[in-house]
Amino acid sequence: MSAPTPAAKTERLLNLVICLLYTRQPLSKQRIRAAVPQYGEAASDEAFDRMFERDKDELRDLGIPLRAEAIDPLFDDETGYRIDRREYALPEIRFEPDELAVLGLASRTWQQASLAGAAATALRKLEAADVERDDGTLVGLEPRVRTAEPAFPAMKDATVARRQVSFRYRKADGTVSERRLQPWSVTNWHGRWYVAGYDLDREAPRVFRLGRVDGPVRASGPDAAYEVPADHDALVMIRGSEVEREPQPAVLHVRVGSGHALRRRARTSGDIDDDWSQLDIDYTDTEIFADQIAGYGPSVRVVAPDDLRDSVTRRLRAVVAANDLAGQRGEA
């Protein structure tokens, strides 16, 4: 049997932590085995025992307070395990104003997510086994990256699996072409997400900004279809690819009382009537500027150029489509 991937091992350890935080009472090894999906896949009792012992040691090495206790205080013939939430929890933390500002910026990239996938399966198994639940320990346990780029999840999954992808890509000048890529890494640099890899059509390494991917990312072929070069450095590739074009002029109509950040950037501005102002403003990247404009919703209209207006329209239509889908699913 092949060794588990680092991601699979991390998921197993996370599930074990969830399992042992979930309960107020110590759990026997057999109940843990039934609750953690990866343990249920062990080939034999001996294989499970070895895996569990390694995982216990690893959690303790990480500083997680794993306790071994008698399941029944009157009988010490069976050992159970749990994580003491009082030792696991952080003490009260106070932040200075500048630290809170940094955390606020970080929250735009990271968000705390509810448990999903195999972790949720472990929780359902514990519920089925009538394990007394401690909900307070589960909030915010699993972090995940939150990005505005629709291409991020599919590109990230293909990168981890080492699968070829194809996608439509919009350059800074607005032209669109079909690309085929073996993705090597997905990286954030200066607040933007990039994928670096081997362009199969250009037969050379290339970097693509995820915000410029136009439409779905389509993965094809088997997993582990290629090797990532040992000397690959995503940041070096990204820095070498980022060449800003000359500033381009845009004309915007902005509702009075809105778009203050845009007004500060404008070369010229003037009121059209009681409701709207016209701004002349320069920008270098169509997709980034379109993100900023779309954030104002109906309070900002793009008069020119056409490619910027089209980019904003695509974003607003995507928001409408997402809201319609959420309504069909009955989501709030």
Side-chain angles (χ1 to χ4, degrees):
M1 179 180 296
S2 60
T5 64
K9 179 181 177 181
T10 300
E11 183 179 44
R12 187 179 73 240
L13 290 173
L14 174 63
N15 288 340
L16 178 58
V17 171
I18 293 168
C19 174
L20 298 178
L21 276 175
Y22 181 95
T23 178
R24 294 180 183 274
Q25 302 298 326
L27 293 181
S28 68
K29 289 173 60 174
Q30 291 309 311
R31 297 188 80 180
I32 294 171
R33 184 178 185 181
V36 176
Q38 292 85 352
Y39 289 155
E41 299 169 1
S44 64
D45 292 343
E46 291 76 14
F48 160 67
D49 286 338
R50 290 194 298 270
M51 189 185 306
F52 181 61
E53 292 301 320
R54 287 195 300 269
D55 289 349
K56 284 196 305 178
D57 292 340
E58 186 141 357
L59 291 185
R60 286 171 173 145
D61 289 343
L62 292 171
I64 295 175
L66 177 64
R67 289 179 170 272
E69 302 174 347
I71 293 178
D72 188 333
L74 300 178
F75 303 94
D76 58 1
D77 56 344
E78 185 174 12
T79 301
Y81 302 89
R82 69 181 182 90
I83 293 174
D84 190 321
R85 62 175 297 190
R86 293 168 299 181
E87 296 181 22
Y88 183 81
L90 289 172
E92 181 180 358
I93 300 176
R94 296 184 181 276
F95 294 102
E96 298 299 325
D98 56 341
E99 295 172 324
L100 289 173
V102 172
L103 289 174
L105 291 173
S107 69
R108 297 174 60 183
T109 301
W110 293 87
Q111 76 169 53
Q112 299 302 323
S114 59
L115 302 173
T121 300
L123 296 184
R124 288 194 295 271
K125 288 188 176 184
L126 287 171
E127 289 174 342
D130 293 326
V131 174
E132 186 179 0
R133 178 172 180 164
D134 187 358
D135 291 311
T137 60
L138 299 177
V139 177
L141 184 59
E142 181 188 8
R144 71 177 179 190
V145 175
R146 178 181 179 88
T147 73
E149 291 84 357
F152 180 89
M155 195 70 79
K156 180 264 298 179
D157 291 344
T159 301
V160 172
R162 285 184 286 139
R163 295 185 68 195
Q164 175 184 322
V165 294
S166 58
F167 53 92
R168 286 165 51 85
Y169 189 70
R170 186 178 301 274
K171 293 183 178 180
D173 61 7
T175 59
V176 179
S177 60
E178 187 74 19
R179 313 304 286 262
R180 295 187 305 134
L181 183 74
Q182 293 177 342
W184 294 344
S185 61
V186 175
T187 307
N188 187 281
W189 187 67
H190 288 186
R192 305 170 188 170
W193 287 96
Y194 299 80
V195 59
Y198 186 78
D199 188 315
L200 294 168
D201 296 310
R202 276 67 175 178
E203 297 184 347
R206 289 289 188 272
V207 173
F208 301 91
R209 191 182 298 177
L210 293 190
R212 292 180 182 163
V213 174
D214 186 4
V217 175
R218 304 174 296 278
S220 60
D223 290 356
Y226 54 88
E227 295 295 329
V228 178
D231 60 350
H232 168 56
D233 189 324
L235 291 180
V236 170
M237 290 183 64
I238 293 169
R239 293 189 191 104
S241 70
E242 280 297 288
V243 179
E244 296 285 1
R245 64 172 178 165
E246 290 298 315
Q248 307 294 312
V251 179
L252 308 179
H253 286 176
V254 180
R255 193 180 299 276
V256 172
S258 301
H260 300 295
L262 295 174
R263 293 176 187 274
R264 288 193 293 270
R265 286 181 51 185
R267 286 184 287 104
T268 63
S269 64
D271 291 340
I272 302 172
D273 52 35
D274 292 340
D275 297 322
W276 295 92
S277 304
Q278 178 167 303
L279 308 184
D280 295 300
I281 188 169
D282 292 333
Y283 68 98
T284 56
D285 189 290
T286 300
E287 301 305 313
I288 290 177
F289 196 36
D291 282 339
Q292 296 169 357
I293 294 172
Y296 292 101
S299 295
V300 178
R301 301 170 180 170
V302 179
V303 179
D306 291 344
D307 64 326
L308 177 61
R309 182 172 58 245
D310 292 343
S311 293
V312 174
T313 300
R314 285 198 314 275
R315 284 158 172 76
L316 296 177
R317 285 176 175 168
V319 171
V320 172
N323 287 337
D324 289 345
L325 181 59
Q328 293 170 9
R329 293 174 175 172
E331 299 175 3

